[in-house]
Amino acid sequence: SQQGEEDPQALSIQEGENATMNCSYKTSINNLQWYRQNSGRGLVHLILIRSNEREKHSGRLRVTLDTSKKSSSLLITASRAADTASYFCATDAKDTGNQFYFGTGTSLTVIP
Amino acid sequence: GAVVSQHPSWVICKSGTSVKIECRSLDFQATTMFWYRQFPKQSLMLMATSNEGSKATYEQGVEKDKFLINHASLTLSTLTVTSAHPEDSSFYICSSEGPMNTEAFFGQGTRLTVV
């Protein structure tokens, strides 16, 4: 299976703290993307990082990519209660075009 | 960014009936679309790749006769769940390659409940 893994599976923090989620994958990739999903809802695209990039920022989000370790991390700084959601990483393997394989997801709870 | 519209957002059907889910690219042409399935509190699993004008490519373990995919135009792919059973109840999401063929854009998802 090309499905990646994320850890932790669940994370609970206080509002204002930083949240870090990790994603590992198995094959060489073109891009890695992070998505957010509120319970029972669709996916919201957060950030894309290309295989030749090592770090990317978007607002309170910081994503790193280590292709040698086949891993990525998503950091949410100064978390808010509204950040409570599940977060998934998705990779597209180099030889499969834009078929995305999702990690197992991290369920983040931010306590007000 | 590019927009992918999925319809319906929620459908309830009786066992044995068929349900069609539509996925449209609204402002770009999508030669390739993807269908995913998500069980509660689980990740998304790729079901199949839908190619405009040709047969879909199914992932291992996905029954092609049960999940019929049609991609008749550059802006529309449909997934039909045939002879639905309660175990088919799930969240189905489509995605499309964006105009630059790098990012993926997802539909809003369809929650299917089979009773």
Side-chain angles (χ1 to χ4, degrees):
Chain A
S1 168
Q2 291 178 285
Q3 186 177 34
E5 293 185 3
E6 293 181 55
D7 76 271
Q9 288 189 330
L11 180 60
S12 184
I13 59 174
Q14 295 288 334
E15 200 165 34
E17 294 180 338
N18 296 340
T20 300
M21 290 158 267
N22 302 298
C23 165
S24 61
Y25 56 91
K26 299 179 181 179
T27 64
S28 295
I29 61 171
N30 293 314
N31 307 299
L32 183 145
Q33 301 191 45
W34 284 90
Y35 290 87
R36 167 197 168 124
Q37 184 181 39
N38 287 76
S39 180
R41 307 287 290 275
L43 294 174
V44 175
H45 180 262
L46 296 177
I47 199 166
L48 177 151
I49 186 166
R50 303 185 193 284
S51 60
N52 62 352
E53 297 176 313
R54 292 295 167 260
E55 187 171 314
K56 207 160 184 180
H57 296 255
S58 177
R60 293 184 295 115
L61 306 180
R62 173 177 167 256
V63 168
T64 63
L65 178 64
D66 187 336
T67 53
S68 65
K69 295 181 180 178
K70 292 187 170 57
S71 67
S72 174
S73 68
L74 170 66
L75 168 67
I76 304 175
T77 60
S79 64
R80 305 167 182 167
D83 294 329
T84 296
S86 290
Y87 293 82
F88 295 93
C89 68
T91 56
D92 63 329
K94 273 197 169 178
D95 57 353
T96 62
N98 239 353
Q99 295 173 350
F100 279 83
Y101 294 91
F102 285 82
T104 47
T106 294
S107 176
L108 173 65
T109 301
V110 181
I111 303 167
Chain B
V3 177
V4 173
S5 176
Q6 189 171 340
H7 176 82
S9 57
W10 191 12
V11 57
I12 302 173
C13 71
K14 291 184 177 181
S15 289
T17 61
S18 296
V19 173
K20 180 186 284 187
I21 303 169
E22 294 185 347
C23 181
R24 293 179 186 275
S25 57
L26 295 186
D27 51 3
F28 65 100
Q29 293 183 331
T31 55
T32 305
M33 290 185 171
F34 304 92
W35 288 95
Y36 296 85
R37 179 176 184 176
Q38 183 182 33
F39 290 104
K41 298 186 179 181
Q42 293 190 31
S43 189
L44 289 83
M45 297 297 294
L46 178 66
M47 297 175 66
T49 302
S50 170
N51 303 296
E52 188 268 334
S54 64
K55 290 183 179 180
T57 305
Y58 290 82
E59 294 295 297
Q60 193 172 10
V62 178
E63 298 177 60
K64 62 180 182 180
D65 294 330
K66 180 163 187 64
F67 298 100
L68 299 179
I69 292 172
N70 184 286
H71 195 155
S73 77
L74 287 171
T75 59
L76 175 64
S77 175
T78 61
L79 168 68
T80 301
V81 183
T82 63
S83 186
H85 289 266
E87 54 264 33
D88 298 326
S89 297
S90 189
F91 195 60
Y92 294 87
I93 303 178
C94 68
S95 79
S96 173
E97 290 180 335
M100 302 303 291
N101 289 334
T102 52
E103 299 178 27
F105 297 93
F106 287 81
Q108 307 95 317
T110 297
R111 181 163 302 284
L112 170 63
T113 302
V114 184
V115 297

